[in-house]
Amino acid sequence: MRPTAIDALLQETRVFPPSEEFKKQANVNDPKIYEEAAQDYLAFWARCAEMLDWFEKWHTVLEWNPPYAKWFIGGKLNACYNCVDRHVKTWRRNKAALIWEGEPGGERVLTYSDLHREVQKFANVLKSLGVRKGDRVCIYMPLIPEVVIAMLACARIGAPHSVVFGGFSAEALADRINDAQAKVLITADGGYRRGSIVPLKRNADEALKNAPSIEKVVVYQRLGTDYNAPMTPGRDLWWHELMANAPLVCEPEPMDSEDLLYLLYTSGSTGKPKGIMHTTGGYMTGVTVTTKWVFDLKDEDVYWCTADVGWVTGHSYIVYGPLANGATCVIYEGAPDYPDRDRFWAIVEKYRVNILYTAPTAIRAFMKWGEQYPKKHDLSSLRLLGTVGEPINPEAWMWYHEHIGGGRCPIVDTWWQTETGAIMITPLPGIVATKPGSATRPFPGIFPEILDDAGNPVGIDRGGYLVITKPWPAMTRGLWGDPERFKQTYWSKYEGIYFTGDGARRDSDGYFWLLGRVDDVINVSGHRLSTMEVESALVDHPAVAEAAVIGVHHEIKGQGIAAFVIIKEGYTANESLKDALKQHVVQKIGAIARPDQIFFTADLPKTRSGKIMRRLLRDIAEGRALGDTTTLADPAVVQALKEKYEGQEE
Ligand code: WTA
């Protein structure tokens, strides 16, 4: 935790209470909800679970054997049924479920009935390929309606999906397939991003050379016949051909509340990504109630979450939460600056979007591009704004408030994680006054605390470790195939208490201010990466002997990646080697992991026990005076490094 961040936030005194008008119409507007949930959180969550349709009701709300929780025990339900079938039985059957816009243009609208038909057919396709309840299915697709159809079809038949973000490399895809031992891969010939083609099928073919568990590959034709994606006979099958013959009806599988709904890989402090497990009843309860209350979602709203489904935000707040609520969701395939920097605002105007949920990194980019872009469009339909993924700086919050929200929209800054499944700290917009830069209060029924190293609460306005002291329904049930790492990562610092890996402080009003990660995880444009993952990719290059990677402050991305690299004898430290190393990381992990800066060095500052002192590397990369160097094995190393890079960005 950096004291500078705390000091800066302490000076924030602006407060934005909800307007009377907003309050009156809000889904929740009685502050008593907080007390009720605090008094009896099991009763509270049981009431939330009633928002879902259950085939069989649970007999016990919670069984808690730290770190393992079971929620709504004995309950049977199906996530797909809750997102689709139950709406088809009502007036919503002809309501738009998905409004999709492609990057190069093109628009498709799928009603709940359309979704019902497509999902059932695709579920039958999966069955015909031998997928059974419990089998893992990997999904590597662009943001098109079919990715949602594929996820829901998996949920319908009880096959946990593992969605891999389309920006990940072949190697990252292979790692994730292998860890999950997925049987089927669903992909597309390609997708569009910023005017170019993302060759998904080519990457998938590359990955499949080293991923023997995959028996069949279903390929959606997004680019069209001209593109000619290579198909391997016997293994690769076209989506449209399979769908042409698929039977129309597929009954949803009754799933136990604790049956696995999906796996989602995320980065931790070591190089190996971890498969976060989410089960059905608790997860669906968490995402359904938070979507309805945090976004104040109404049936007539047009809701747009700009994330990719490859991340948890897409899982919880594009797919499961909004669809369980019967919402109309906009999904957009591409980049915010294609063909021009007003694309988001053009979409808001075109579909009259009411609720917009995006990331601080996007807001900072919009800010930099200038207000003339949103000004070109009519944004008067917007009534609520959200942010997620990283701390939002007060200036970006204010810009969002004024230039996008027209000063009238509440902003919900939502803190949560892949592991937490659903939003944890957030304003309820009809109740809580917001402060720029603060995620404000815990959602009802959530119990965060801020502790020091010894496990004592730190007190008002002091930085400490953010933890959650009681279980909650959407919490992860563990890491796929690695219970030891699960205990070690989240449950070993404090007994029976969930350790988030984030720093935070709480002010005198009880508001939480998030201060960033306290571990070796970095947050680049709201994407989680481990410094070790990037280091391993660098060391994999033949020229590299050793590498140390750190997150450094970046104006737009929040954090950028800086790498200190020791090269081997026989290689020359020059610009072209820097470029080659950056490219190597892109190839190993994906473009999101491309280092912003590479510093060549002959040595790295280490403690006497051999630990790299990243704090000092950060001082150098950010051009600050060096902190305490007394524990270094050889203080001359860091001094030499500093002199070499003094004042220069790279
Ligand atoms: C960070 C994304 C501050 C945090 C949903 C967390 C945030 C990590 C916020 C999880 C926020 C997310 N304010 N920091 N509103 N939201 N974070 O798993 O460091 O991709 O631990 O989940 O993002 O990232 P993940």
Side-chain angles (χ1 to χ4, degrees):
M1 278 144 287
R2 300 205 217 139
T4 45
I6 302 177
D7 294 344
L9 291 172
L10 275 177
Q11 285 148 28
E12 186 52 63
T13 52
R14 289 166 287 200
V15 182
F16 296 84
S19 70
E20 280 311 312
E21 202 188 340
F22 190 93
K23 219 192 244 176
K24 249 200 298 203
Q25 61 80 57
N27 284 342
V28 273
N29 48 21
D30 187 347
K32 274 216 294 285
I33 194 89
Y34 285 102
E35 287 156 47
E36 282 167 21
Q39 274 158 17
D40 188 348
Y41 78 115
L42 297 185
F44 168 78
W45 284 117
R47 277 199 303 281
C48 296
E50 305 273 5
M51 291 181 172
L52 299 171
D53 282 9
W54 296 77
F55 300 139
E56 254 173 69
K57 209 181 156 174
W58 60 90
H59 52 74
T60 308
V61 176
L62 170 70
E63 196 182 282
W64 178 223
N65 297 307
Y68 293 105
K70 288 185 180 166
W71 283 88
F72 312 117
I73 302 165
K76 299 253 187 286
L77 76 168
N78 184 283
C80 177
Y81 180 92
N82 274 281
C83 290
V84 183
D85 301 47
R86 64 165 170 167
H87 306 310
V88 174
K89 295 180 178 169
T90 70
W91 65 270
R92 289 197 191 99
R93 71 186 206 278
N94 290 322
K95 177 178 175 179
L98 300 176
I99 299 177
W100 171 83
E101 181 156 306
E103 193 189 77
E107 179 188 322
R108 286 165 62 195
V109 178
L110 274 81
T111 64
Y112 277 93
S113 291
D114 293 333
L115 206 51
H116 192 224
R117 181 187 62 245
E118 297 300 301
V119 164
Q120 291 193 84
K121 287 175 71 177
F122 196 67
N124 281 325
V125 165
L126 291 174
K127 280 186 173 172
S128 75
L129 300 178
V131 178
R132 299 283 168 265
K133 183 177 172 186
D135 289 342
R136 277 81 57 210
V137 173
C138 182
I139 300 177
Y140 183 62
M141 293 183 92
L143 192 43
I144 53 178
E146 281 67 25
V147 72
V148 181
I149 293 168
M151 289 166 77
L152 292 171
C154 288
R156 192 168 190 87
I157 63 172
H161 52 71
S162 163
V163 181
V164 177
F165 171 54
F168 274 123
S169 67
E171 206 168 314
L173 174 62
D175 286 347
R176 286 157 178 77
I177 292 173
N178 290 332
D179 190 81
Q181 287 294 294
K183 196 166 172 180
V184 166
L185 172 67
I186 306 166
T187 185
D189 48 0
Y192 295 95
R193 181 79 194 175
R194 206 161 275 131
S196 6
I197 281 174
V198 185
L200 293 170
K201 180 60 168 60
R202 211 175 67 206
N203 293 350
D205 282 343
E206 197 56 37
L208 290 178
K209 287 183 189 157
N210 301 310
S213 64
I214 295 291
E215 295 167 12
K216 298 284 177 202
V217 181
V218 181
V219 187
Y220 182 80
Q221 199 170 61
R222 163 80 185 109
L223 300 179
T225 42
D226 291 350
Y227 182 71
N228 264 331
M231 298 288 277
T232 303
R235 186 195 68 184
D236 301 351
L237 304 153
W238 286 113
W239 174 294
H240 57 272
E241 288 178 6
L242 294 166
M243 287 292 267
N245 302 315
L248 261 176
V249 178
C250 172
E251 291 303 327
E253 184 76 28
M255 302 292 283
D256 189 88
S257 179
E258 282 300 331
D259 275 339
L260 191 60
L261 176 61
Y262 68 77
L263 292 178
L264 182 58
Y265 285 84
T266 186
S267 296
S269 353
T270 71
K272 192 175 168 296
K274 42 195 182 184
I276 303 292
M277 299 199 279
H278 281 296
T279 57
T280 310
Y283 174 80
M284 288 302 293
T285 298
V287 297
T288 304
V289 63
T290 49
T291 303
K292 186 164 175 116
W293 291 3
V294 174
F295 301 112
D296 192 46
L297 184 69
K298 308 282 173 29
D299 249 319
E300 53 278 20
D301 281 322
V302 174
Y303 164 94
W304 183 23
C305 164
T306 69
D308 188 275
V309 274
W311 311 109
V312 75
T313 305
H315 283 61
S316 299
Y317 298 108
I318 292 177
V319 182
Y320 291 110
L323 296 180
N325 280 286
T328 294
C329 306
V330 170
I331 50 177
Y332 165 58
E333 178 183 36
D337 54 352
Y338 189 85
D340 204 351
R341 291 169 164 176
D342 65 343
R343 186 66 184 268
F344 272 24
W345 319 124
I347 291 175
V348 167
E349 175 175 286
K350 181 171 171 193
Y351 301 108
R352 310 303 292 152
V353 171
N354 304 110
I355 301 167
L356 177 73
Y357 190 32
T358 193
T361 185
I363 298 166
R364 287 191 298 264
F366 299 142
M367 236 172 119
K368 191 173 153 215
W369 296 341
E371 60 200 68
Q372 66 274 25
Y373 292 103
K375 272 222 175 88
K376 279 206 265 184
H377 297 277
D378 177 359
L379 306 182
S380 62
S381 58
L382 288 171
R383 65 177 196 87
L384 184 127
L385 305 174
T387 91
V388 60
E390 46 177 322
I392 181 164
N393 37 316
E395 308 87 277
W397 195 103
M398 287 306 299
W399 191 90
Y400 197 28
H401 179 73
E402 282 165 26
H403 297 289
I404 305 304
R408 72 184 177 275
C409 303
I411 296 182
V412 290
D413 173 1
T414 62
W415 177 89
W416 58 295
Q417 307 176 300
T418 308
E419 294 86 341
T420 70
I423 292 169
M424 302 288 277
I425 303 181
T426 176
L428 287 177
I431 301 176
V432 177
T434 54
K435 301 183 189 182
S438 171
T440 76
R441 297 180 62 171
F443 190 82
I446 300 292
F447 300 88
E449 192 48 86
I450 301 172
L451 303 180
D452 64 15
D453 262 311
N456 302 310
V458 290
I460 290 169
D461 280 336
R462 306 297 291 262
Y465 301 109
L466 179 68
V467 300
I468 316 290
T469 61
K470 288 188 181 152
W472 64 101
M475 70 196 285
T476 176
R477 299 304 191 262
L479 303 184
W480 180 255
D482 205 345
E484 260 326 294
R485 188 173 176 198
F486 179 58
K487 283 186 202 151
Q488 183 55 36
T489 311
Y490 307 102
W491 304 94
S492 65
K493 191 162 175 74
Y494 309 107
E495 181 83 32
I497 290 179
Y498 174 80
F499 177 66
T500 63
D502 275 25
R505 74 172 174 91
R506 193 162 20 178
D507 69 18
S508 51
D509 293 327
Y511 279 35
F512 285 78
W513 299 79
L514 276 303
L515 303 174
R517 300 289 307 195
V518 295
D519 52 12
D520 292 330
V521 172
I522 49 180
N523 192 326
V524 180
S525 301
H527 299 147
R528 257 167 89 166
L529 285 168
S530 120
T531 50
M532 274 182 60
E533 229 172 326
V534 184
E535 284 165 9
S536 309
L538 283 166
V539 174
D540 180 76
H541 189 280
V544 177
E546 202 177 339
V549 166
I550 52 167
V552 290
H553 177 73
H554 187 285
E555 207 190 322
I556 303 290
K557 301 192 217 176
Q559 279 189 307
I561 300 175
F564 289 79
V565 173
I566 304 178
I567 55 172
K568 289 184 191 153
E569 202 96 16
Y571 289 89
T572 318
N574 55 22
E575 286 306 311
S576 75
L577 182 58
K578 275 187 189 174
D579 290 341
L581 294 181
K582 289 180 184 176
Q583 201 41 42
H584 192 69
V585 175
V586 171
Q587 199 201 328
K588 298 289 286 182
I589 305 174
I592 52 169
R594 181 197 302 273
D596 297 273
Q597 297 166 278
I598 288 186
F599 300 96
F600 291 118
T601 171
D603 229 328
L604 288 167
K606 289 184 184 161
T607 61
R608 279 170 217 116
S609 58
K611 238 184 130 195
I612 295 171
M613 300 256 318
R614 293 165 194 281
R615 174 172 59 77
L616 296 176
L617 294 178
R618 266 196 297 272
D619 289 342
I620 293 170
E622 294 178 347
R624 269 193 307 272
L626 291 177
D628 183 11
T629 58
T630 51
T631 55
L632 284 177
D634 180 2
V637 169
V638 67
Q639 202 48 50
L641 242 180
K642 181 156 175 63
E643 277 159 24
K644 183 165 170 200
Y645 289 109
E646 197 97 62
Q648 62 186 80
E649 262 290 284
E650 186 178 21

